[in-house]
Amino acid sequence: MPVDSATLRTILGTPSYYRQFRAFAEREYNVENLDFLEAAAAYRRSPSKTRAIAILDRFVKENSASQVNISFTQREDVLTATSGYE
């Protein structure tokens, strides 16, 4: 399959493409975005308060270990919406 016709869903769902994409993300120092997508997908399959808190702690909170790049407003909206989780 030509790269330009691959969708993110195809890349994530094809083991060989996924490995290449993950290696690229690691080289570009943005693997946290891929890890966030995986954590969010796991949450959608099996939502739980514990899983939501783990995602907030790892990816959303300011200065978290794998903080994803979202706007201040988005971060504040998410933290406000989930303030009762902790």
Side-chain angles (χ1 to χ4, degrees), residues 32-72:
E32 71 277 358
N33 295 305
L34 184 54
D35 292 340
F36 175 76
L37 283 174
E38 292 171 351
Y43 176 81
R44 282 191 299 274
R45 284 191 303 275
S46 179
S48 74
K49 189 174 181 179
T50 301
R51 189 167 277 159
I53 291 169
I55 290 170
L56 291 171
D57 289 344
R58 182 173 175 197
F59 299 107
V60 178
K61 289 184 178 176
E62 193 71 34
N63 298 315
S64 57
S66 297
Q67 182 179 336
V68 292
N69 185 18
I70 59 176
S71 73
F72 174 82

